[in-house]
Amino acid sequence: MCEFHEETRDTLPVAGHLSGDYRDAFPGAIDAFEQWDESSQPEPEVELNGRFVPITLVPGLLWNSTDIMPRALCEQLEKLLPPGELCEQGSTYAQGARCIKSVMQKQ
């Protein structure tokens, strides 16, 4: 899977708009993370551009996206955050990526 990450990192914009394939993988990664039992299951994967990538790689692919997340996605993400942390309406995918990456690293 690292090959995919290396191949993709160089083709992503430094900041700005990303294709829908990347944005579509993000809610799938959040869904899979919510259902994942790390103690008894391997890391889930989501489809991205015809390949399957581990869910923990997806936030890094959206790290600099200035696209705005849908409200429902912000609400879903907020449920995973520690008390007091918010995912405000109008948050970018980059902000969401940083939030979920932080949650993933703590588990």
Side-chain angles (χ1 to χ4, degrees):
M1 291 305 161
C2 290
E3 291 175 21
F4 180 84
H5 188 256
E6 291 296 322
E7 173 185 303
T8 308
R9 182 176 51 203
D10 295 333
T11 62
L12 294 173
V14 174
H17 172 71
L18 289 177
S19 74
D21 292 341
Y22 291 91
R23 293 188 314 271
D24 291 345
F26 192 58
I30 293 171
D31 288 343
F33 179 74
E34 286 180 302
Q35 298 172 18
W36 182 25
D37 178 4
E38 286 182 86
S39 64
S40 65
Q41 298 173 338
E43 181 174 348
E45 297 180 336
V46 292
E47 187 173 357
L48 177 61
N49 292 331
R51 296 185 186 187
F52 287 90
V53 298
I55 61 170
T56 55
L57 285 183
V58 174
L61 299 173
L62 293 160
W63 205 253
N64 296 315
S65 174
T66 56
D67 296 315
I68 304 299
M69 289 190 297
R71 179 184 204 148
L73 186 54
C74 284
E75 291 171 356
Q76 180 182 10
L77 182 56
E78 196 168 272
K79 292 176 187 173
L80 298 173
L81 299 176
E85 288 190 33
L86 301 174
C87 180
E88 298 178 11
Q89 183 177 349
S91 292
T92 64
Y93 279 87
Q95 291 168 308
R98 286 167 172 74
C99 289
I100 193 64
K101 185 71 169 183
S102 172
V103 171
M104 287 175 168
Q105 288 175 335
K106 290 178 183 174
Q107 284 198 342

